[in-house]
Amino acid sequence: MKQKKQQQVAVAVALAVVVYAMALGGSEAGKDQLLSLLELDEAAVSVSISGSQQQQQPPLVVGLSLIQSAASTGAVCLDGTLPGYHLHRGYGSGANSWLIQLEGGGWCNTIASCVYRKTTRRGSSNYMEKQLPFTGILSNKAEENPDFFNWNRVKLRYCDGASFIGDSQNEAAKLKFRGQRIWLAAMKEFLSKGMQNADQALLSGCSAGGLASILHCDEFRDLFPKTTKVKCLSDAGFFLDANDVSGGRTLRNIFGGVVSLQEVGKDLPETCTSHLDPTSCFFPQNLVANIKTPLFLLNAAYDAWQLQASLAPPSADPHGSWNECKSNHAHCNTSQIQFLQDFRNQMVNAVRDFSMSSQNGLFINSCFAHCQSERQDTWFANDSPRLGNKAIATSIGDWYFDRVPVKAIDCAYPCDNTCHNLVFK
């Protein structure tokens, strides 16, 4: 009961943020801010719900460290401040194992939206929380995180606005677009902190960070000797190049702005850019089949963020006919459910070639959720989501350690009664 109340409070706060963002929607800057604020919504929900009923004690809290060496290479946040991370050391059997979690938080696709981000934790380390709770895949408790609890676990903060890629600047607006440099500076920092001795490593990330873990997966592999076991996990990072409810391409337009503004094209994989335009190569569906390193895709088939921000945003639904459905999937009418089933079908089709490889893994559940590895209630708890009677944490552990192959794709909504759906009250 207590958890449900927490959920409702968190979502009420989140929805207030979304409503405020929608009120800004009349201007271009307002539309861009909607995207940033929707990510704040996701963060508010995930932090407030993360204490599941089986969690007896408060989560581990880990302090922020800044990468002091980053200044010399210009590897700085949008506002020129140093990038940061939170590291909790491993021990025992996990002392030489490293998990890097790339933080999410939307993107900025115009000068106005990037200038706005400079005043938030998504664009400046001046505004980053000095301490963060480590829950889910970052937890230090075996009963909450059975396979990775004693690894060296790092959360790399996100302050470039382009999924840790791109290299440009705008002097007039005093903006630094240094995603690729931040990635390189961070990896150099972690190698110096002991990651160079890793016998196993996992690059992970959620949302925009989940996209980043796909973009950087093979680069991450190349940091280590061949003898090191290296894999990648993308949680809620499989953003589809799909039509919105008006027939437009909201997310393609956003990604196009990010790619051109931050000069992302030069850092995208040549296996894609050799035959597709750079914006298409920012979409995971055009990347995953060519990634050489073992990769696991964890995604909700009815991704809550994509429904809110790219499928039915106010710009595509000016009369608000999708508002009820977006707030609670139980309020979707028959045609709206059909639209969402078509979206799920696109996602399943987009991973078909990827899933043919024996080294890759999949967990696509038919839930209205987003970022399921960072929240304790969805990662590993008594009532967490399951496919084939296996929790997400168990499935990813089985895949990482080669215990059994994991290629789990759920039946279509409403067949799954283990979902932790996001409902906006």
Side-chain angles (χ1 to χ4, degrees):
M1 193 67 192
K2 184 182 170 194
Q3 189 190 10
K4 194 157 192 181
K5 200 165 275 186
Q6 276 185 320
Q7 222 162 355
Q8 290 175 351
V9 169
V11 176
V13 170
L15 191 57
V17 173
V18 175
V19 169
Y20 165 66
M22 288 173 178
L24 295 169
S27 65
E28 271 312 303
K31 286 173 187 163
D32 298 323
Q33 286 180 31
L34 169 62
L35 200 69
S36 297
L37 290 163
L38 269 166
E39 284 290 352
L40 296 182
D41 142 35
E42 167 242 310
V45 172
S46 64
V47 171
S48 297
I49 306 174
S50 62
S52 87
Q53 57 268 58
Q54 79 180 51
Q55 196 167 354
Q56 299 302 313
Q57 57 207 78
L60 170 75
V61 176
V62 181
L64 175 69
S65 301
L66 298 181
I67 304 175
Q68 299 298 336
S69 62
S72 63
T73 57
V76 292
C77 298
L78 286 169
D79 70 337
T81 53
L82 294 173
Y85 65 92
H86 305 252
L87 162 64
H88 190 252
R89 290 283 183 184
Y91 63 90
S93 61
N96 287 323
S97 301
W98 284 74
L99 166 69
I100 309 297
Q101 175 85 345
L102 303 177
E103 185 180 38
W107 308 269
C108 61
N109 59 323
T110 63
I111 295 293
S113 60
C114 291
V115 166
Y116 169 75
R117 273 176 89 98
K118 283 201 297 182
T119 65
T120 76
R121 62 198 165 114
R122 303 293 192 216
S124 170
S125 55
N126 288 340
Y127 299 98
M128 289 176 186
E129 303 90 331
K130 298 297 181 275
Q131 294 187 311
L132 276 186
F134 268 28
T135 58
I137 197 171
L138 294 173
S139 171
N140 65 330
K141 302 178 184 72
E143 65 272 20
E144 295 178 356
N145 188 22
D147 283 308
F148 307 109
F149 71 96
N150 64 348
W151 284 32
N152 297 281
R153 298 165 333 285
V154 183
K155 181 147 194 171
L156 179 59
R157 302 304 296 269
Y158 176 40
C159 65
D160 62 272
S163 286
F164 297 93
I165 201 167
D167 192 350
S168 181
Q169 63 186 37
N170 184 288
E171 288 176 17
K174 297 188 169 61
L175 285 167
K176 307 285 188 187
F177 303 123
R178 302 291 192 226
Q180 183 68 21
R181 296 192 202 188
I182 291 172
W183 161 262
L184 293 170
M187 294 306 112
K188 184 179 174 186
E189 172 93 348
F190 304 150
L191 289 166
S192 76
K193 298 278 182 190
M195 192 172 77
Q196 63 188 11
N197 303 316
D199 48 34
Q200 45 192 11
L202 175 62
L203 177 66
S204 177
C206 147
S207 196
L211 171 57
S213 70
I214 293 170
L215 291 167
H216 288 295
C217 184
D218 285 338
E219 277 179 84
F220 187 67
R221 160 74 269 184
D222 291 343
L223 296 171
F224 302 94
K226 292 273 186 287
T227 51
T228 306
K229 184 185 191 80
V230 181
K231 298 190 179 186
C232 307
L233 162 65
S234 172
D235 175 11
F238 203 77
F239 297 96
L240 275 185
D241 187 7
N243 284 346
D244 60 38
V245 297
S246 71
R249 303 294 278 276
T250 295
L251 194 54
R252 171 165 276 272
N253 292 337
I254 292 165
F255 276 8
V258 175
V259 167
S260 61
L261 180 66
Q262 303 218 28
E263 294 184 19
V264 164
K266 55 196 171 196
D267 296 321
L268 293 169
E270 283 183 20
T271 50
C272 182
T273 54
S274 62
H275 65 281
L276 289 175
D277 63 279
T279 300
S280 294
C281 295
F282 204 58
F283 281 98
Q285 67 204 72
N286 299 319
L287 299 170
V288 292
N290 290 315
I291 290 170
K292 299 189 289 288
T293 309
L295 172 63
F296 193 104
L297 297 177
L298 164 62
N299 231 92
Y302 312 97
D303 184 277
W305 186 90
Q306 293 188 64
L307 174 56
Q308 295 272 349
S310 67
L311 294 179
S315 56
D317 178 36
H319 303 297
S321 59
W322 276 78
N323 288 354
E324 285 286 304
C325 175
K326 284 194 302 186
S327 298
N328 186 343
H329 60 278
H331 298 157
C332 298
N333 63 35
T334 309
S335 65
Q336 289 170 332
I337 289 292
Q338 189 53 55
F339 179 88
L340 296 172
Q341 300 296 20
D342 289 345
F343 178 76
R344 173 190 173 272
N345 290 339
Q346 289 176 64
M347 185 177 291
V348 171
N349 289 334
V351 299
R352 186 167 287 137
D353 288 348
F354 168 85
S355 68
M356 298 296 181
S357 168
S358 60
Q359 69 179 12
N360 293 332
L362 281 169
F363 190 107
I364 296 182
N365 53 347
S366 289
C367 303
F368 292 79
H370 187 67
C371 286
Q372 299 178 92
S373 65
E374 296 185 345
R375 279 173 40 186
Q376 196 58 51
D377 70 305
T378 46
W379 174 246
F380 193 71
N382 292 334
D383 66 342
S384 55
R386 280 166 165 68
L387 281 181
N389 205 31
K390 279 204 298 197
I392 292 169
T394 310
S395 301
I396 288 170
D398 282 350
W399 163 79
Y400 184 88
F401 294 103
D402 304 303
R403 295 190 288 244
V404 289
V406 180
K407 301 277 175 65
I409 298 181
D410 214 347
C411 46
Y413 172 82
C415 71
D416 191 335
N417 62 5
T418 70
C419 287
H420 287 210
N421 293 312
L422 297 180
V423 175
F424 298 86
K425 296 285 183 190

